[in-house]
Each structure stands twice: as C-alpha cells, then as structure tokens.
Amino acid sequence: MKHHTGWSSLLVTVENIIFGFDGQDLKLLLVKHLEGPLKNRWCLPGDCLHSSENFDQTAARIQQALTGREKIHREQLGAFGPSKRTAGARKASVAFFSLMYIRREKLFSWHNGRPEWHLFHELPSLMADHHRILEAALQYIRYQSSASPLLFKLLPPKFTIPQLQLLYEVVHGHPFDKRNFSRKMLSTGLLIKQSDKEKLSSKRGAYYYRVHAKAQSSKER
C-alpha cells in the first residue's frame, strides 16, 4: 500500500463577520487581542471547531458568546485559504456573516480579547486574510441586496425610508436618488406603513414602516 508524501497539517477555523446597524451607522464587530502573536491587533472574531461541532454551530457559538444574541440572520459565506499566517502553520477559514440591529447591547469578552463595534467607514487595519474575507462578504451582501430583502435583517422593528436609504448607501458606497429609492422600495410590497412618524430628523417627520413577515422568515437561527 503506497503512502502519500508531501502532506502538511492544515488548521481550519471559523471566522464570523458580524454587521450591526443602529439606525444611523453600519458597524462591524471586531475583537482586539490582548496577548499572543496578534497582541493589540483588531481581528474578525473566530475560533477552531470543537470536536462535536459543525461549521455553523461554531459560528453560532462565536456569535452568541460575543453578543448574547442567538436568533439573528447568519449565512455561510465560503472557504478561504489556506494562508500561512504563522511559522509552521497553514490556515484555512470557513467564513460566516451575521446581520443584526444594535442599540446598546452589551458585548462579552472573547478568549481574553476585547470586542468593540467599529464604524464601517472607519475600520482599523486588518490582517490581509481578514481584509480579503471582509471584502468578499461586502460584495456578496451588495449583490444579494439588489435582488432580495437581505439588508432588512439589519433594521429595527420599525424604521423610516430615509433610514433604509442610509443603510443601502453605506453598504453600496454611493448615494441613491431619494424619489427613485422610495418608489422602488414601496413597490416591493414588503413594507407596511405605520400611523406614527419619526419627528426628530425634521419638523414634517417621516412615517415609520415595518417589514412584512415574509421578508423576516429566512435564516434567523
């Protein structure tokens, strides 16, 4: 029986890209390492699989340990690597992303690391492989949000059209025409107009909307 040669060990981890929207700003959850070779570096939260876990269960564990939230939208993005981040170790990552509405939720430490929400347009420097994973997640979300209500998973229970437009503009990186955006969103049939208004942004105020139940039913686990 022939034995294969040239094999090398491969470390497989799960990285979880957690996006949050607070009604005004899109944010990304990063963890600052307080010790070890990555000391004082901000990274995407990640971990190795436990022996009893599959990839999704590991991503769910990371998500819940950091945010205390279990049932939020989560999807597998893909596999990346292998990369050689440290001497003698080749690493591949299976990446997930989560979408959640945030206000003042408490964050919990992760492997002695300090978690913190960062404004998406003011992110600190990330390692090359984490930057590559984040860019892939952003491209996927942009593509999906053009044809599906994916970004609605980031919204509060009720929101205004200007808030929704702001979210789309931050994710896509460019402004949208106000009238065309409003017309397109209302034509989807996914928004239910409420009787009350948000009056902090202007004297006239903007009506609140809620998302139709059929847009909220997928992949909240």
Side-chain angles (χ1 to χ4, degrees):
M1 183 176 181
K2 294 183 178 180
H3 294 278
H4 293 284
T5 59
W7 288 51
S8 62
S9 61
L10 180 66
L11 177 65
V12 179
T13 64
V14 172
E15 313 290 347
N16 201 349
I17 309 151
I18 303 176
F19 293 97
F21 182 62
D22 63 5
Q24 296 296 326
D25 294 298
L26 181 67
K27 298 180 179 181
L28 180 70
L29 185 57
L30 299 175
V31 176
K32 188 174 187 178
H33 290 259
L34 302 180
E35 57 187 25
L38 298 176
K39 184 177 180 179
N40 294 325
R41 293 292 303 272
W42 289 102
C43 302
L44 296 173
D47 202 7
C48 297
L49 279 74
H50 289 175
S51 60
S52 60
E53 292 178 334
N54 58 35
F55 293 126
D56 183 73
Q57 289 169 335
T58 303
R61 173 168 56 83
I62 295 169
Q63 167 193 296
Q64 187 166 11
L66 282 166
T67 68
R69 298 274 295 277
E70 179 182 2
K71 292 187 177 182
I72 61 177
H73 185 87
R74 185 178 63 256
E75 286 190 43
Q76 183 172 325
L77 178 66
F80 299 81
S83 64
K84 192 168 185 178
R85 182 182 300 171
T86 57
R90 299 176 73 240
K91 175 180 174 294
S93 298
V94 176
F96 287 74
F97 70 87
S98 299
L99 306 176
M100 59 186 293
Y101 173 67
I102 57 173
R103 289 299 275 178
R104 298 179 181 87
E105 284 86 350
K106 182 180 179 181
L107 294 177
F108 303 89
S109 62
W110 177 250
H111 293 331
N112 296 318
R114 177 166 64 88
E116 187 176 301
W117 290 108
H118 292 257
L119 291 173
F120 193 74
H121 61 276
E122 296 180 3
L123 295 178
S125 175
L126 299 176
M127 296 177 296
D129 53 343
H130 281 194
H131 180 74
R132 182 163 57 103
I133 293 171
L134 178 58
E135 281 297 311
L138 186 59
Q139 292 301 318
Y140 176 82
I141 291 172
R142 283 173 175 170
Y143 176 79
Q144 290 295 324
S145 66
S146 298
S148 72
L150 179 64
L151 289 187
F152 291 5
K153 306 296 183 180
L154 285 160
L155 293 170
K158 62 179 185 179
F159 54 91
T160 65
I161 296 295
Q163 285 178 322
L164 180 59
Q165 181 171 342
L166 175 63
L167 175 59
Y168 268 77
E169 289 178 343
V170 173
V171 169
H172 287 268
H174 62 80
F176 291 88
D177 179 80
K178 183 178 179 179
R179 290 184 179 180
N180 288 340
F181 182 85
S182 179
R183 187 184 305 113
K184 181 176 180 180
M185 288 298 157
L186 294 176
S187 69
T188 64
L190 296 176
L191 303 184
I192 303 173
K193 189 175 182 179
Q194 306 298 294
S195 60
D196 53 334
K197 290 185 176 182
E198 189 277 317
K199 295 185 178 181
L200 295 177
S201 302
S202 66
K203 292 182 179 180
R204 184 179 179 182
Y207 279 104
Y208 281 112
Y209 288 81
R210 290 184 180 273
V211 179
H212 197 286
K214 65 183 179 182
Q216 294 281 29
S217 61
S218 62
K219 297 184 180 177
E220 289 192 355
R221 298 170 292 183

